Amino acid sequence: DCDESPFIDEVVSTLNVESHVIEPDPTAIPSIHEAAVWCLESPYDGTGMPGMYVFGLARANAVTVTLDGQGADAQQAGYLNYFVHHMANAPLSELFWTILGRPAMVGAEPYVRLGSSLGLFRTMAGDRILRGAANLLGKDAGPYLVSLNARLKDDCHRSLANLIHYADARSMISSVESRMPFMDYRLVEFTAGVPGGYKIHRGWTKYFARLAFEGKLPDSIVWRRDKLGWPMPDAHWMSGPLREWSDSLIASSELVR
């Protein structure tokens, strides 16, 4: 559930580029994690091992500057939860097409159902009644009713800013400079001006980006249906080879006590 190597191999083969692969050694994680927390000066979500290992691998191969994809998903609507905002604001034609045709992305159904329900109720009853009905159920519909682009803008200022902060810090631990082409201000300005209907369209995320790369990369890459956000096998490690280590840290934590 964390392995994307078949897709990596296909891109490497298609573009005929040199590939370096590394797999984290669980027994080395405790010492690396301690060093990472010390360097970052604050705790962060998960072990953060992919970034630590990738930048370490780059440095070991005399690479001091990397080009990284940070920022693409938060600008182009790459995450499945963005379906809620898209569907809640989509025209009826898009609602019915997506509902009848099912979303192309694996795992998108619950987000599409929630967004479609909000969109249909909103169209028939209006925002005021929708908000009132949600309040009766103890829910706040407000956050879901903002447009897709408004949600993306908010994420760029919040969660994306946080991700960039940690990505920069992790790369600097290995004395590697992480450059992020998707954060070029000209591309950011252009992407922000693209209507939401071109970012999520007929069940596809990052739709206009997929169109841009059609014919340049294999269809299995361009029109890939499952989305993994650089998953970390923390759950496997913490229930397996690192269980004793993590349990002892939790048990000895003054904060937990």
Side-chain angles (χ1 to χ4, degrees), residues 80-108:
L80 298 180
N81 61 293
Y82 290 132
F83 272 105
V84 178
H85 300 274
H86 173 65
M87 301 304 294
N89 293 274
L92 283 175
S93 58
E94 175 84 356
L95 284 171
F96 286 123
W97 195 98
T98 305
I99 293 171
L100 294 175
R102 298 189 63 187
M105 302 301 298
V106 174

Side-chain angles (χ1 to χ4, degrees), residues 2 22-38 40 44-54 170 173 231-247 249:
C2 297
I22 190 170
E23 185 171 337
D25 174 12
T27 62
I29 287 174
S31 60
I32 297 175
H33 182 262
E34 184 176 355
V37 172
W38 188 89
L40 294 176
Y44 53 94
D45 183 18
T47 59
M49 285 303 107
M52 298 292 295
Y53 267 87
V54 165
R170 279 198 289 262
I173 291 173
M232 293 180 279
D234 289 345
H236 298 277
W237 292 333
M238 301 308 171
S239 61
L242 295 180
R243 181 169 183 171
E244 184 177 344
W245 169 71
S246 58
D247 285 355
L249 282 180

